[in-house]
Amino acid sequence: MSRPAFVLVRPQMGENIGAAARAMLNFGLDRMRVVGPRDGWPNERAVALASGAGRVLDAAMVTETTAEAVADAQWVLATTARDRDLTKPIYTPEAAMTEARDRIAAGQRVAVLFGPERAGLENDDIATANAIVSVPTNPDFASLNLAQCVLLTGYEWRRVTTGAAGAETRMAGTDWANAAEIAALGDHFEERLGQAGFFFPEAKAPAMKRHLRNLWSRMPLTRADVQTFHGMMRQMVRWKERG
């Protein structure tokens, strides 16, 4: 099992099961287990809300008890926002999924428990888990919707297993401008602005030119950007000459 199993314990609404399935598949997770669904199984409302993720529901394991659902797992996590009278390690979702990744890579099976909508997991369910996952929510309004909690946990799984960059720039048919191209742009503007009398008074001209060069070097310009600025300046000169 190269991915954790997400176990929905006694879910009350088919819509939330379906939304959870969709959230799971969004992040490459397809091992759903459902414990004692209130409205039986299969559930038409779950299928309707799955919106293309029906295969997660089709392959779902349905059990009567939480113990059955996690019987094959070596490490079990329980998601809960409430204080519990149980001594267990508590992880953030990011830390939990990082640990889950490492354990799965080492050959272990991992399961994550999600409680019913009304009150979350009961202590008897949590007692079967090795650790708790707690989302740092607003303490005055800590409860998450079932599908929201599944989506958040799935997102963290995807993030820690794919090495997604925190930020990146996708080049749209161009490359970054090199120093020579940026210098040529500076030359063009300096020449045309000089002809227009921009560098005045003369005593301030060297500092003004230096500031302009610094402006170009500080900007993350692409080759397309540079060509656009050249074109703008050429068109402004043509317009002035026509006048």
Side-chain angles (χ1 to χ4, degrees):
M1 186 165 63
S2 61
R3 296 172 295 280
F6 277 19
V7 183
L8 312 187
V9 180
R10 296 181 297 280
Q12 297 167 314
M13 298 177 63
E15 291 87 344
N16 280 331
I17 301 173
R22 182 176 182 179
M24 287 175 62
L25 199 56
N26 282 151
F27 298 107
L29 296 161
D30 56 7
R31 298 179 180 275
M32 174 183 280
R33 298 177 182 182
V34 185
V35 179
R38 183 189 66 180
D39 296 335
W41 196 264
N43 187 297
E44 292 183 2
R45 292 183 177 180
V47 173
L49 265 290
S51 187
R55 66 188 191 210
V56 176
L57 301 178
D58 292 341
M61 174 194 295
V62 182
T63 67
E64 292 295 323
T65 67
T66 302
E68 291 176 282
V70 301
D72 63 341
Q74 284 89 22
W75 200 55
V76 180
L77 292 160
T79 60
T80 182
R82 294 189 293 158
D83 290 334
R84 303 290 184 164
D85 189 23
L86 295 167
T87 301
K88 287 186 184 294
I90 299 176
Y91 291 77
T92 64
E94 178 184 9
M97 292 300 97
T98 299
E99 181 72 13
R101 176 200 63 195
D102 295 344
R103 287 177 178 269
I104 289 172
Q108 293 188 25
R109 292 173 178 251
V110 174
V112 186
L113 303 177
F114 299 88
E117 296 89 329
R118 184 178 60 82
L121 293 168
E122 296 178 359
N123 281 350
D124 286 346
D125 299 311
I126 296 173
T128 67
N130 302 102
I132 287 172
V133 182
S134 182
V135 180
T137 53
N138 173 8
D140 295 326
F141 192 67
S143 178
L144 289 173
N145 171 271
L146 170 60
Q148 289 176 327
C149 192
V150 168
L151 184 139
L152 189 153
T153 308
Y155 162 77
E156 292 294 354
W157 167 260
R158 186 74 175 179
R159 195 173 66 83
V160 303
T161 55
T162 62
E168 63 177 330
T169 300
R170 295 184 179 178
M171 308 300 287
T174 187
D175 294 314
W176 293 113
N178 59 38
E181 290 164 335
I182 293 173
L185 178 64
D187 291 341
H188 188 184
F189 266 70
E190 192 172 302
E191 177 188 358
R192 294 305 187 185
L193 289 174
Q195 292 171 354
F198 176 76
F199 300 112
F200 180 85
E202 186 175 348
K204 293 185 178 181
M208 295 173 72
K209 292 177 181 179
R210 186 164 55 249
H211 288 159
L212 187 60
R213 295 280 180 173
N214 188 55
L215 168 66
W216 298 126
S217 66
R218 195 173 66 244
M219 294 173 65
L221 295 171
T222 66
R223 286 177 170 170
D225 296 332
V226 168
Q227 292 305 313
T228 298
F229 277 117
H230 278 300
M232 289 166 58
M233 183 56 72
R234 284 192 293 267
Q235 187 60 30
M236 290 173 67
V237 170
R238 293 190 191 106
W239 173 79
K240 182 66 171 62
E241 290 173 348
R242 287 199 300 267

